[in-house]
């Protein structure tokens, strides 16, 4: 079990190093940092000095080691456009994205699993069939279209909810939250629905098909032959077995939700990391871009690590069992 | 004669598909007495397992019981509402499946599955149910049951898992057990142990058993009576010694002739030419008529009913035609 966790950690570390290497090479291939920082009018001497100061004359492996060491401490340098530390830019934007993504994920998981289980149990009912047909629309509609549609209905026509921004936020330490004010909560509704909808339909369809698969298993039949009530078979025996493959996919989806909230953030002018990244791309702000790349990789590594741990909690076959030592 | 534990009358099971309605079981009837072991043999697809599923009320759609009745200790159970039938399952009819590797839920400890079953059918509280579970594991021959009860299925070997499955089937002391090929998935060395275990436990409890298998050795050793099934019908049913030693039905003869034996002097094993018809193409009259060596006109027209011949019953016109083919003379010989 410990070996299992250590192996997951090692894998995560390797992934992070690989991504760090890509982020590092971005500095070298997307323009010359010295020109970018000093502008075109700088003298040759200024350039030579800055090149030396930035350590660009050092051997590449040494530069990479320095980049990794800095990144590990959260230091991604200074934004070329805003002239501020990238780390503080990220910390500033992080709460908006995390709140949006986590709420979307919870929404997608809870509703997706509930609908999926329902569609599997009542697989011939008309509600289940309706839900399945609607989910097909959900899978095929692009996110921005859903966002714009929701804005049109709830912000433009009905005027119930704001169409952009986070509303009023409350500061708790370095974290800013929109969860404690009415306008903050109202602002969250549409982006959360937009970002969560695709995940919801995917999770729902996955849960349904996995559950139907599990319901055909021998142990379900045997549980029936033992006279176990149908509700217990569905929710105790089948659901837990369903969750193992679902967790894998859903875990990766969660990583995707946090990492690629870009579209939703753009549609709703949400002041999060996605918007920061889009601006950075427009101005070739390489430090911000590489930091964002590292952040996305970190989120994926973290979620897959969590998925591995949840596996262990769900599936006893992955645990060593001290009680069984012969 | 006392009332049979299980009495099946004209049980018919059909599978409704888009193209046709297939008859998996065609009016089969048999009784099982208290404490008796009835072996059910036949080729794959002969309807052995469907019979078990039909009795316990677990035929998967599109299959359904289309006729006949199943009577358990005098009470009809085939037409019970789902919830009442659920209470019969496990409580009065136990079932043992073929593959112990997949019969247990991999995510729950064997103890949890035992206790769940015990508590479904009795009023025992958690600690009493646990004691009962440990006692059951002990009884089915699992060493150190107080410790093993907290193990997960994957921590048990195949034979040990089948013992757990047997314990699960016996949880509520059912009066009747269906064992559907309980040894097919096991090592040969373990098979004998499991069969002996089922036999001993049922003898001690007076439980009746329907033992579905295609292993004639197991039948000969375990069963009191045997039913030979062919294409959804019973071809011959009777005391195991007679049916194995001196089968009457031409199909049963072929089946017994195909068993290799160590002391036999036969040069080659007998083969039955052809194969069992598909359910969609069962011939009129006797289902065995295309493969039967002793076929005659009546076999193509009229379906043979089970007719008593001595202690057994045979569904073959050879034993019905007075004077025809000398069937009765053959028994006397």
């Amino acid at each position: 079990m410990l070996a299992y966790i250590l192996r997951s950690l090692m894998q995560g570390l390797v992934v992070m190093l690989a991504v760090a290497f890509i982020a590092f090479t971005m500095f070298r291939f997307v323009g010359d940092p010295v020109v970018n920082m000093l502008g075109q009018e700088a003298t040759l001497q200024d350039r030579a000095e800055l090149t030396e100061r930035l350590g660009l004359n050092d051997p590449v492996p040494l530069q990479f080691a320095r980049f990794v060491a800095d990144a590990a401490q959260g230091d991604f340098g200074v934004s070329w456009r805003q002239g501020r530390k990238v780390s503080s830019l990220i910390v500033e934007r992080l709460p908006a994205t995390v709140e949006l993504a986590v709420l979307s994920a919870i929404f997608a998981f809870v509703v997706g699993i509930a609908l999926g289980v329902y569609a599997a149990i009542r697989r011939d009912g008309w509600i289940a069939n309706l839900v399945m047909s609607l989910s097909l629309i959900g899978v095929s509609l692009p996110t921005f279209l859903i966002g714009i549609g929701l804005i049109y209905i709830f912000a433009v026509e009905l005027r119930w909810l704001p169409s952009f921004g986070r509303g009023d936020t409350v500061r708790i330490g370095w974290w800013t939250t929109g969860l404690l004010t009415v306008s903050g909560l109202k602002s969250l509704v549409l982006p959360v629905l937009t970002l969560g909808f695709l995940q919801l339909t995917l999770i729902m369809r996955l849960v349904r098909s996995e559950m139907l698969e599990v319901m055909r298993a021998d142990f379900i039949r045997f549980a029936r032959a033992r006279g176990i009530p149908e509700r217990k078979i569905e929710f105790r025996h089948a659901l837990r077995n369903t969750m193992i493959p679902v967790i894998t996919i859903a875990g990766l989806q969660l990583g995707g939700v946090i990492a690629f909230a870009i579209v939703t953030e753009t549609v709703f002018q949400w002041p999060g990391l996605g918007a920061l990244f889009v601006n950075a791309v427009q101005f070739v702000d390489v430090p911000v871009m590489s930091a964002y790349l590292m952040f996305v990789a970190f989120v994926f590594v973290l979620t897959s690590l969590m998925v591995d741990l949840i596996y262990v909690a769900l599936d006893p076959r992955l645990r060593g069992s001290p009680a069984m030592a012969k | 004669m006392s009332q049979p534990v299980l009495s099946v009358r004209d049980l018919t099971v059909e599978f409704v598909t888009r193209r046709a309605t297939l008859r998996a079981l065609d009016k089969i009837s048999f009784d099982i007495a208290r404490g008796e072991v009835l072996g059910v043999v036949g080729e794959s697809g002969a309807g052995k397992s469907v019979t078990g599923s039909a009795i316990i009320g677990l035929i998967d759609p599109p299959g359904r019981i289309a006729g006949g009745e199943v009577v358990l200790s005098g009470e009809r159970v085939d037409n019970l509402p789902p919830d009442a039938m659920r209470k019969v399952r496990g409580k009065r009819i136990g079932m043992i499946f073929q593959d112990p590797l997949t019969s247990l839920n991999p995510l729950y400890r064997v103890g949890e599955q035992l206790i769940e079953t015990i508590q479904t059918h009795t009023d025992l509280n958690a600690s009493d149910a646990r004691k009962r579970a440990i006692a059951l594991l002990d009884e089915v021959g699992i060493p150190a049951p107080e410790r093993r009860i907290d193990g997960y299925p994957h921590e048990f070997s195949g034979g040990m898992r089948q013992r757990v499955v047997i314990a699960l089937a016996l949880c509520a002391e059912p009066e009747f057990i269906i064992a559907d090929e309980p040894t097919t998935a096991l090592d040969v060395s373990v098979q004998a142990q499991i069969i002996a275990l089922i036999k001993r436990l049922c003898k001690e409890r007076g439980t009746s058993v329907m033992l579905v298998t295609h292993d004639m050795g197991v039948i000969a050793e375990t069963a009191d009576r045997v039913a030979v099934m062919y294409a959804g019908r019973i071809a011959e049913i009777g005391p195991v010694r007679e049916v194995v030693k001196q089968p009457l039905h031409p199909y049963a003869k072929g089946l017994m002739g195909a068993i290799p034996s160590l002391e036999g002097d036969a040069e080659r094993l007998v083969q039955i030419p052809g194969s069992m018809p598909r359910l969609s193409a069962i011939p009129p009259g006797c289902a065995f008529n295309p493969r039967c060596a002793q076929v005659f006109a009546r076999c193509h027209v009229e379906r043979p009913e089970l007719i008593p011949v001595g202690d057994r019953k045979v569904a073959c016109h050879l034993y019905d035609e007075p004077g025809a083919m000398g069937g009765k003379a053959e028994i006397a010989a």
Side-chain angles (χ1 to χ4, degrees):
Chain A
M1 156 114 185
L2 195 65
Y4 174 79
I5 294 173
L6 277 178
R7 203 171 57 225
S8 301
L9 275 173
M10 282 307 295
Q11 281 169 353
L13 210 60
V14 171
V15 170
M16 285 309 291
L17 273 177
V19 173
F21 184 72
I22 296 170
F24 168 73
T25 49
M26 216 155 49
F27 283 96
R28 318 217 109 238
F29 292 114
V30 187
D32 181 346
V34 177
V35 176
N36 275 316
M37 290 175 96
L38 291 179
Q40 297 188 344
E41 264 86 89
T43 62
L44 275 176
Q45 200 192 348
D46 286 344
R47 287 188 191 188
E49 263 175 28
L50 187 63
T51 309
E52 185 59 36
R53 197 150 55 80
L54 290 175
L56 294 177
N57 291 331
D58 296 337
V60 173
L62 186 64
Q63 289 186 41
F64 180 55
R66 199 155 47 214
F67 175 80
V68 170
D70 287 346
Q73 293 162 33
D75 183 0
F76 292 93
V78 175
S79 161
W80 292 347
R81 196 171 77 88
Q82 305 196 27
R84 297 175 53 201
K85 292 192 74 164
V86 175
S87 52
S88 61
L89 281 176
I90 288 190
V91 165
E92 219 167 74
R93 300 289 196 117
L94 191 65
T97 295
V98 168
E99 283 185 0
L100 172 64
V102 169
L103 285 178
S104 302
I106 292 174
F107 163 68
F109 267 81
V110 172
V111 182
I113 290 175
L115 284 178
V117 169
Y118 180 85
I121 293 175
R122 293 281 153 76
R123 93 182 113 144
D124 298 319
W126 67 271
I127 298 181
N129 282 327
L130 183 75
V131 167
M132 286 306 291
S133 314
L134 286 180
S135 77
L136 209 58
I137 301 174
V139 171
S140 45
L141 273 187
T143 307
F144 70 89
L145 204 63
I146 296 173
I148 292 169
L150 286 176
I151 287 176
Y152 178 74
I153 297 170
F154 293 102
V156 179
E157 290 295 323
L158 295 171
R159 295 175 181 273
W160 288 352
L161 297 164
S163 63
F164 68 90
R166 282 186 86 189
D168 300 328
T169 55
V170 177
R171 180 170 277 281
I172 302 170
W174 60 272
W175 189 273
T176 56
T177 177
L179 296 173
L180 298 175
T181 63
V182 176
S183 78
L185 286 173
K186 275 176 134 183
S187 305
L188 270 166
V189 175
L190 293 184
V192 163
L193 289 181
T194 307
L195 186 55
F197 194 65
L198 176 68
Q199 315 299 328
L200 184 159
T201 52
L202 288 176
I203 289 174
M204 182 199 123
R205 297 182 74 86
L206 186 70
V207 167
R208 176 183 176 273
S209 64
E210 287 295 337
M211 184 133 176
L212 287 177
E213 186 73 33
V214 171
M215 290 301 279
R216 278 197 293 271
D218 276 356
F219 61 83
I220 294 295
R221 212 175 139 71
F222 186 51
R224 289 213 175 100
R226 281 167 18 219
I228 307 295
E230 197 63 13
R231 288 290 114 169
K232 258 191 171 172
I233 290 178
E234 282 156 357
F235 289 100
R236 228 174 96 84
H237 291 271
L239 189 57
R240 193 162 164 189
N241 279 280
T242 303
M243 288 322 287
I244 291 175
V246 169
I247 291 284
T248 324
I249 310 284
L252 292 177
Q253 301 273 343
L254 176 68
V257 166
I258 296 181
F260 303 119
I262 298 175
V263 175
T264 308
E265 290 191 2
T266 308
V267 170
F268 289 94
Q269 296 173 38
W270 193 259
L273 287 173
L276 179 71
F277 176 72
V278 170
N279 286 330
V281 170
Q282 274 162 5
F283 294 95
V284 202
D285 197 344
V286 177
V288 174
M289 283 157 66
S290 77
Y292 184 74
L293 189 65
M294 295 291 284
F295 166 77
V296 169
F298 183 68
V299 167
F300 269 94
V301 166
L302 202 65
T303 46
S304 79
L305 198 64
M306 269 163 50
V307 165
D308 285 347
L309 290 178
I310 294 174
Y311 269 166
V312 177
L314 275 180
D315 193 339
R317 284 167 290 192
L318 296 173
R319 277 174 272 179
S321 173
M324 284 307 111
K326 284 196 179 155
Chain B
M1 192 179 142
S2 66
Q3 182 187 46
V5 166
L6 183 85
S7 177
V8 173
R9 286 285 155 267
D10 291 332
L11 185 65
T12 303
V13 171
E14 290 178 343
F15 285 80
V16 182
T17 66
R18 233 171 293 164
R19 262 180 284 162
T21 299
L22 304 177
R23 250 189 197 192
L25 282 188
D26 196 352
K27 291 192 177 171
I28 65 161
S29 303
F30 60 89
D31 289 340
I32 299 181
R34 183 158 305 280
E36 184 184 48
V37 178
L38 175 76
V40 178
V41 288
E43 293 169 57
S44 305
K48 311 185 298 281
S49 295
V50 176
T51 309
S53 302
I55 291 169
I56 204 167
L58 282 180
I59 300 238
D60 292 321
R64 62 188 174 92
I65 295 180
E69 50 187 63
V70 178
V71 179
L72 184 68
S73 303
E75 187 197 345
R76 201 169 158 190
V77 295
D78 60 290
N79 57 357
L80 287 177
D83 202 52
M85 190 60 212
R86 176 183 72 68
K87 288 183 180 137
V88 170
R89 286 199 289 267
K91 172 87 180 149
R92 299 183 57 197
I93 307 177
M95 189 150 184
I96 300 166
F97 283 103
Q98 178 172 353
D99 190 353
L101 302 183
T102 56
S103 300
L104 298 169
N105 190 329
L107 303 187
Y108 289 101
R109 299 169 195 277
V110 299
E112 289 174 296
Q113 302 188 43
L114 278 160
I115 291 166
E116 177 187 36
T117 315
I118 292 170
Q119 289 196 312
T120 302
H121 298 296
T122 65
D123 296 328
L124 293 182
N125 63 31
S127 78
D128 286 344
R130 189 180 161 88
K131 277 181 205 142
R132 175 80 175 278
I134 292 174
L136 273 165
L137 287 179
D138 191 34
E139 218 178 330
V140 296
I142 287 183
E146 359 11 74
R147 200 157 48 84
R148 300 288 283 180
I149 190 173
D150 291 321
Y152 287 95
H154 70 276
E155 293 160 340
F156 290 73
S157 67
M160 285 294 156
R161 275 192 236 188
Q162 195 63 307
R163 286 170 194 267
V164 173
V165 168
I166 292 169
L168 277 163
L170 290 174
C171 268
E173 306 279 330
E175 57 221 68
F176 174 58
I177 283 191
I178 301 166
D180 190 352
E181 312 217 13
T183 57
T184 310
L186 299 175
D187 284 346
V188 180
S189 55
V190 182
Q191 287 181 359
Q193 295 174 11
I194 294 295
I195 287 296
L197 177 70
I198 294 175
K199 204 173 166 181
R200 174 173 66 80
L201 291 173
C202 294
K203 193 130 282 171
E204 285 168 9
R205 290 169 158 76
T207 312
S208 311
V209 182
M210 184 176 120
L211 179 64
V212 174
T213 178
H214 34 230
D215 186 339
M216 286 306 302
V218 167
I219 294 281
E221 199 177 309
T222 318
D224 301 309
R225 285 194 309 142
V226 60
V228 179
M229 290 192 70
Y230 186 80
R233 302 168 189 183
I234 291 179
E236 180 167 350
I237 181 169
V240 70
R241 202 165 286 276
E242 292 176 31
V243 176
V244 171
K245 283 262 158 58
Q246 205 182 51
L248 294 179
H249 194 285
Y251 174 67
K253 281 182 194 161
L255 200 61
M256 304 308 159
I259 305 166
S261 125
L262 287 179
E263 62 260 31
D265 49 3
E267 294 280 302
R268 328 176 38 123
L269 295 174
V270 184
Q271 288 183 18
I272 310 177
S275 58
M276 201 170 69
R278 277 178 299 149
L279 290 180
S280 53
I282 293 177
C286 175
F288 189 59
N289 69 38
R291 301 170 72 187
C292 184
Q294 292 159 280
V295 66
F296 58 104
R298 194 175 163 196
C299 303
H300 292 290
V301 199
E302 189 188 330
R303 181 187 154 179
E305 298 298 323
L306 278 174
I307 47 172
V309 178
D311 285 341
R312 44 187 154 163
K313 288 179 181 168
V314 185
C316 181
H317 293 313
L318 286 176
Y319 303 94
D320 194 22
E321 290 277 286
M325 306 294 287
K328 289 201 173 107
E330 205 175 316
I331 316 172

